[in-house]
Amino acid sequence: MCFCLFVASELSRQLDNWLGAATLSHGPARAIIAPHAGYTYCGACGAFAYRQVSPAVVKRVFILGPSHHVRLRGCALSIAKKYATPLYDLKIDTDINAELEKTGHFSWMDMKTDENEHSIEMHLPYIAKVMEDFKDQFTIVPILVGSLNPDQEALYGRLLANYFTDPQNLFVISSDFCHWGHRFNYTYYDKSCGPIYKSIEKLDKQGMDIIETLKPETFTAYLREYNNTICGRHPIGVMLSSVKVLQEQGYNMSFKFLKYDQSSHCKVMDDSSVSYASGSLVFEC
């Protein structure tokens, strides 16, 4: 077997195992929050979000990933026509890209930026695996999200809100949670929690509880108070802003986190870790 086929086969097996171990408890998802680190660290956690997806319904997958490498004041679209994964190629929805461009609020990623950004890339194999039985029947819309202020998050939330209402659309919100340690310039520690990793968990779960309330203003206030290094805070803010628009229109939604994990347990100040959380947004009848 050639190396490429081996990689595809092994990746497919891993994803199947993780999805098989996850439970379907809050679906069908209209949006998910899932991590984007290496699968060794967060693959099992991410499965709990992707397990909530109903692939037979989904025709289009929006992927909102934070920009790690370039300064971006708004949101940017991909100029590519397809993304390659070890499983199969994913087709980019150029019609939706054209619609979004017409709003005047989206720019375009150059290919180098697109290829270097892992916050979108790491979701592609999971999307390909979940949608495997319908691989010729869906498209993707990658959106790189920059450093938005709350007003911008509200703007993009309004622009994307109507897409949320279509049950054939799935939104993947790409985010890791707390990046803790000197190498991340973040060492918040509430000693009343005991070990450092318990303090990190309390901080993350406070943020997760706020996200579950679906109130963007409360999430913004939490970030301002604790400066938690949630790298996908702006994509999450856009999702919460879309939800707020739809709630004002009478839609009823709920969000639930299903899994939380850390790359390692920090016990001394020289340690470091990254946290991961997976959750699902559903529309209530």
Side-chain angles (χ1 to χ4, degrees):
M1 181 185 294
C2 78
F3 180 72
C4 290
L5 290 177
F6 172 78
V7 169
S9 176
E10 179 62 17
L11 176 60
S12 181
R13 184 193 66 80
Q14 272 195 333
L15 294 172
D16 275 331
N17 287 344
W18 285 325
L19 288 164
T23 54
L24 173 57
S25 57
H26 197 67
R30 196 69 61 90
I32 60 172
I33 293 176
H36 55 240
Y39 285 177
T40 300
Y41 299 103
C42 70
C45 180
F48 280 80
Y50 279 99
R51 184 68 179 85
Q52 314 312 311
V53 175
S54 178
V57 174
V58 174
K59 302 297 183 186
R60 187 180 298 111
V61 182
F62 291 76
I63 313 163
L64 276 62
S67 178
H68 286 85
H69 304 292
V70 298
R71 290 186 177 274
L72 184 63
R73 294 299 182 184
C75 291
L77 307 168
S78 176
I79 62 174
K81 298 297 188 291
K82 64 181 180 180
Y83 281 166
T85 82
L87 303 182
Y88 58 89
D89 292 347
L90 304 180
K91 181 183 177 183
I92 292 177
D93 198 318
T94 55
D95 290 338
I96 296 297
N97 276 356
E99 289 181 10
L100 295 176
E101 183 188 27
K102 287 179 181 178
T103 67
H105 294 288
F106 289 84
S107 59
W108 296 92
M109 291 182 264
D110 59 51
M111 285 304 296
K112 183 178 180 181
T113 297
D114 205 340
E115 291 170 352
N116 287 343
E117 185 49 69
H118 69 280
S119 73
I120 293 173
E121 177 185 16
M122 295 306 295
H123 286 281
L124 305 180
Y126 248 125
I127 292 168
K129 168 51 66 175
V130 169
M131 298 298 297
E132 197 167 30
D133 291 340
F134 306 90
K135 62 183 180 181
D136 297 321
Q137 301 175 36
F138 77 100
T139 56
I140 63 171
V141 184
I143 300 176
L144 189 63
V145 180
S147 298
L148 310 181
N149 61 41
D151 289 340
Q152 289 175 305
E153 290 176 359
L155 168 66
Y156 285 103
R158 289 193 297 272
L159 292 174
L160 294 173
N162 284 341
Y163 295 102
F164 270 87
T165 63
D166 186 344
Q168 294 185 328
N169 290 338
L170 169 70
F171 278 77
V172 174
I173 309 301
S174 177
S175 184
D176 297 335
F177 273 67
C178 185
H179 298 58
W180 194 95
H182 293 296
R183 68 191 183 103
F184 300 117
N185 296 312
Y186 188 76
T187 54
Y188 172 85
Y189 179 24
D190 179 356
K191 293 183 179 179
S192 69
C193 296
I196 294 170
Y197 68 89
K198 285 293 187 181
S199 171
I200 297 170
E201 180 177 351
K202 179 183 177 183
L203 177 68
D204 278 331
K205 290 194 172 178
Q206 184 177 347
M208 292 158 64
D209 288 345
I210 288 170
I211 292 168
E212 287 185 346
T213 69
L214 299 176
K215 295 178 180 178
E217 298 86 357
T218 310
F219 184 56
T220 297
Y222 160 82
L223 292 172
R224 285 175 174 164
E225 180 175 357
Y226 294 102
N227 294 308
N228 191 359
T229 47
I230 301 171
C231 60
R233 56 194 176 276
H234 298 303
I236 292 171
V238 171
M239 181 195 76
L240 294 177
S241 296
S242 288
V243 167
K244 181 179 179 180
V245 170
L246 297 177
Q247 287 175 328
E248 291 170 351
Q249 295 176 6
Y251 288 93
N252 186 23
M253 291 152 284
S254 66
F255 191 96
K256 183 178 181 181
F257 278 102
L258 307 166
K259 186 69 173 176
Y260 175 79
D261 206 352
Q262 296 175 359
S263 62
S264 60
H265 281 173
C266 295
K267 297 178 181 178
V268 299
M269 295 302 292
D270 287 335
D271 288 343
S272 65
S273 72
V274 179
S275 305
Y276 314 111
S278 286
S280 169
L281 176 79
V282 301
F283 277 51
E284 307 287 354
C285 296

